[in-house]
Amino acid sequence: MKTQGFPSAQPKETRQGEKSLDQQIVRLCDLVEMLRSNYLKGDSFKIKGAQLAGKWNCDLRTVQRLVKFAKDKLKLPIESSRETDNAGYYLTSSISSLGLIPFTNEDYRSLLFAVEAVRGLSMEHHVEGITRIHQKLRTMLQQETAVYAISHEHPFLFKIDGQSKADPALLHKLETAVCTNQKIEFLYQGYQDKAMLKRYAEPYRLLHHSGDWYVLAWDITKQAYRNFKPVRMQQVSVQEKFTPRDDFDEKMQMAKAFGIRTGETKETTVVIEFSDWAAKIVSERKWHGSEVIQDLGNGRIRYTVTLTSLFELERWVLSFGICAKVLEPRDFALQIKGILSQMADNYVDQI
């Protein structure tokens, strides 16, 4: 099927084709900016085709094809004059900007990445929005420029473990409160609470971590920063506006957390020895900004990290079974030992 597109651009997935597309986009942007500049300055002089051909190092027919594309396909108000003393191209009316986003094949791949990454995050309004943008740009590329051809519709695949059960409508409400600096009031039951308690907070960020959503907020009652899980929040209402605190820094809030929990203990340095398959897995990924990994040889490593909460680290260590051993601090090592003993007791009747 033959499609119309940028002059000289071929529908091939090659570096040469991509370079050709980018060149045409640059020339088109250049043309429009020159025309706009003349129009806004009230300059009566026209831009000559020969002038553009010399600037772009191309022939006059290439210039004419590009101008025709801008006029016919992009509907830009470009006209040409054949006056002897002032021939050339000009705008008949003002345009605020180029009616085309400079969009390349690499940009399209990045958009595909975003489309797939946002799926499964329980943010339906954003999924719908980014999907609409994707479809519009895909149509533009295929029907107008005919330059993007990729062997796979979606080269990326994301698997989100333990997808959040948070209500998308509630997430939207919380997002609005974050964006408009409005306080929220709600009922909440933490994992250690016996009953639902009324909470009043200033929300600063919506945080996605390990397949779940959290609201990073200033707890007005506790006078401290806290992370609230939307799935545990009930009767949420958006209240009056607040002035953001000067001491809020999301990077600092997360810096001493192994996951998202912080401030439950003083700053503690933990040393863990990993062996066998666990040593390989731990070495292949950066788990925390403060981590230091020492190769001990014979398939063993020593992992050191400094945190202000060991809650999430505890679960992480246990997930590696017999291939992980806490060396320091002693209290944390005994804590892990106690949990393992209790776990063994769960299976006494299986022996």
Side-chain angles (χ1 to χ4, degrees):
M1 180 176 66
K2 185 177 181 180
T3 56
Q4 294 176 319
F6 277 111
S8 300
Q10 300 298 320
K12 296 180 180 178
E13 189 188 7
T14 63
R15 288 295 178 186
Q16 184 177 359
E18 291 177 8
K19 183 178 180 181
S20 176
L21 168 63
D22 293 342
Q23 184 181 64
Q24 299 298 339
I25 290 174
V26 169
R27 288 174 177 175
L28 186 58
C29 292
D30 190 27
L31 169 66
V32 171
E33 287 308 307
M34 292 173 68
L35 291 170
R36 287 184 69 234
S37 177
N38 275 14
Y39 185 89
L40 293 174
K41 291 186 299 184
D43 196 335
S44 60
F45 288 98
K46 314 298 189 299
I47 299 176
K48 300 182 183 300
Q51 177 186 350
L52 295 171
K55 184 175 183 181
W56 297 339
N57 191 27
C58 65
D59 57 35
L60 192 57
R61 292 187 63 182
T62 298
V63 173
Q64 292 169 345
R65 286 196 298 268
L66 188 66
V67 172
K68 187 176 188 303
F69 174 83
K71 181 178 178 180
D72 296 345
K73 295 298 181 182
L74 301 182
K75 307 301 180 184
L76 298 182
I78 302 174
E79 292 294 341
S80 60
S81 171
R82 295 182 179 276
E83 297 176 13
T84 304
D85 297 330
N86 193 18
Y89 301 110
Y90 64 98
L91 291 179
T92 59
S93 61
S94 176
I95 53 176
S96 58
S97 62
L98 176 58
L100 171 72
I101 300 173
F103 205 73
T104 68
N105 287 349
E106 290 301 321
D107 295 331
Y108 188 69
R109 290 192 183 96
S110 296
L111 180 61
L112 283 177
F113 181 90
V115 168
E116 291 306 302
V118 78
R119 298 187 193 279
L121 298 185
S122 301
M123 300 288 272
E124 298 302 326
H125 57 293
H126 285 309
V127 173
E128 294 171 0
I130 198 169
T131 299
R132 285 196 303 271
I133 294 171
H134 166 237
Q135 291 298 333
K136 289 177 182 178
L137 291 173
R138 181 166 179 256
T139 298
M140 180 193 77
L141 286 168
Q142 290 185 339
Q143 296 183 358
E144 294 295 335
T145 66
V147 294
Y148 191 84
I150 189 166
S151 57
H152 303 286
E153 176 66 12
H154 294 296
F156 309 106
L157 178 64
F158 293 84
K159 182 179 182 295
I160 300 176
D161 296 325
Q163 184 176 345
S164 174
K165 293 183 179 180
D167 180 8
L170 174 57
L171 291 175
H172 196 183
K173 177 186 286 190
L174 293 171
E175 179 188 347
T176 300
V178 169
C179 292
T180 56
N181 293 329
Q182 289 182 272
K183 297 177 182 178
I184 52 175
E185 184 180 78
F186 53 98
L187 296 179
Y188 192 80
Q189 185 173 5
Y191 76 100
Q192 290 182 327
D193 296 333
K194 302 297 183 182
M196 301 290 289
L197 301 174
K198 181 174 286 190
R199 309 296 282 267
Y200 202 47
E202 299 174 354
Y204 283 87
R205 294 289 186 274
L206 273 180
L207 170 67
H208 189 267
H209 172 69
S210 294
D212 216 338
W213 284 102
Y214 298 83
V215 182
L216 176 54
W218 175 257
D219 188 327
I220 297 174
T221 304
K222 302 289 186 179
Q223 287 294 290
Y225 288 105
R226 291 288 186 269
N227 296 316
F228 298 103
K229 292 184 72 171
V231 73
R232 295 177 184 164
M233 301 169 73
Q234 295 183 16
Q235 300 180 24
V236 179
S237 62
V238 179
Q239 305 290 315
E240 71 275 12
K241 286 184 172 292
F242 66 88
T243 301
R245 296 173 58 86
D246 293 333
D247 64 349
F248 175 73
D249 185 334
E250 66 264 36
K251 292 183 179 179
M252 289 297 296
Q253 291 296 319
M254 296 293 104
K256 297 301 181 181
F258 195 72
I260 62 170
R261 295 174 66 111
T262 61
E264 297 175 349
T265 183
K266 65 179 182 180
E267 195 170 282
T268 303
T269 298
V270 180
V271 182
I272 310 163
E273 184 176 308
F274 292 97
S275 60
D276 201 20
W277 58 269
K280 295 179 181 179
I281 290 178
V282 173
S283 299
E284 291 170 349
R285 177 175 167 182
K286 188 174 182 65
W287 301 88
H288 191 267
S290 70
E291 70 180 37
V292 176
I293 297 178
Q294 179 185 359
D295 188 353
L296 301 177
N298 296 321
R300 298 178 301 124
I301 64 168
R302 181 168 295 163
Y303 182 87
T304 304
V305 65
T306 302
L307 308 167
T308 58
S309 172
L310 304 184
F311 179 80
E312 289 156 316
L313 187 69
E314 172 192 290
R315 292 185 297 173
W316 187 64
V317 170
L318 291 170
S319 72
F320 291 104
I322 63 173
C323 294
K325 179 182 178 180
V326 175
L327 303 178
E328 300 177 21
R330 185 171 184 274
D331 288 347
F332 187 50
L334 291 176
Q335 179 179 323
I336 297 294
K337 181 179 179 181
I339 293 172
L340 292 173
S341 178
Q342 293 175 30
M343 290 174 65
D345 290 343
N346 288 339
Y347 297 93
V348 171
D349 59 349
Q350 303 294 327
I351 298 175

